[in-house]
Amino acid sequence: VSQSRYNQLTDAVRKNNITLESLKEYIVKLREKVEAELVDEPEFNYVFIFTVPNRKQIYLKARLKNLVLLEAISSEVPILASNNSAIPEVLGNDFPGLFETSDWEELSSKMKQTDSPEFCQRLLEAQEIRKKYFEPSAMARNIQAVYEGALR
């Protein structure tokens, strides 16, 4: 997230006295718009912080969530996520945006930290490091290594 984008978003929130309720209404309207029409821009263009606070994991949902995490990483959107399922495998066990599942105080604290451009930058830098593990060429090399090892 660029400093100018961060400033624009925080200024808009302050200037317009955006509340949680108005934000929920906006999200519902945005979802309806995305579902109703084809949007040329990626949805993550409208996301400031991507948060994954889930407690329970079902295998399929966990796999889909990991794809969404990778999309957020590719879109350079800072992520906050609960420390469960395969999330730490995607983001790294020492990822600064991880919080304990169901620890709402820790989540709240992390959300407050996102007011700091430095914290958001730390998240993005950590995500950039993890991104290389999921690039198609890296995954192809890993699959090839598994097959070569099995053939020995």
Side-chain angles (χ1 to χ4, degrees), residues 73-136:
I73 290 170
S74 294
S75 299
E76 298 181 3
V77 174
I79 299 170
L80 299 178
S82 56
N83 189 3
N84 68 26
S85 188
I87 292 172
E89 293 175 37
V90 174
L91 299 175
N93 289 319
D94 58 349
F95 181 70
L98 288 179
F99 57 89
E100 286 302 315
T101 304
S102 298
D103 187 340
W104 305 114
E105 287 183 20
E106 186 179 10
L107 171 58
S108 176
S109 172
K110 297 269 185 196
M111 292 176 84
K112 288 176 185 172
Q113 289 179 54
T114 63
D115 286 339
S116 161
E118 292 82 15
F119 180 69
C120 289
Q121 189 59 41
R122 278 185 43 222
L123 294 173
L124 292 172
E125 288 169 0
Q127 289 170 208
E128 187 63 29
I129 291 168
R130 298 300 295 178
K131 182 179 178 179
K132 68 182 177 192
Y133 294 106
F134 299 97
E135 291 176 347

Side-chain angles (χ1 to χ4, degrees), residues 7 18 38-39 44 46 48 52 60 64 72 79 92 112 118 120 122 151:
N7 290 339
I18 295 175
L38 293 174
V39 178
F44 279 102
Y46 302 101
F48 175 59
V52 185
L60 180 59
L64 293 174
I79 299 170
K112 288 176 185 172
E118 292 82 15
C120 289
R122 278 185 43 222
L151 294 174

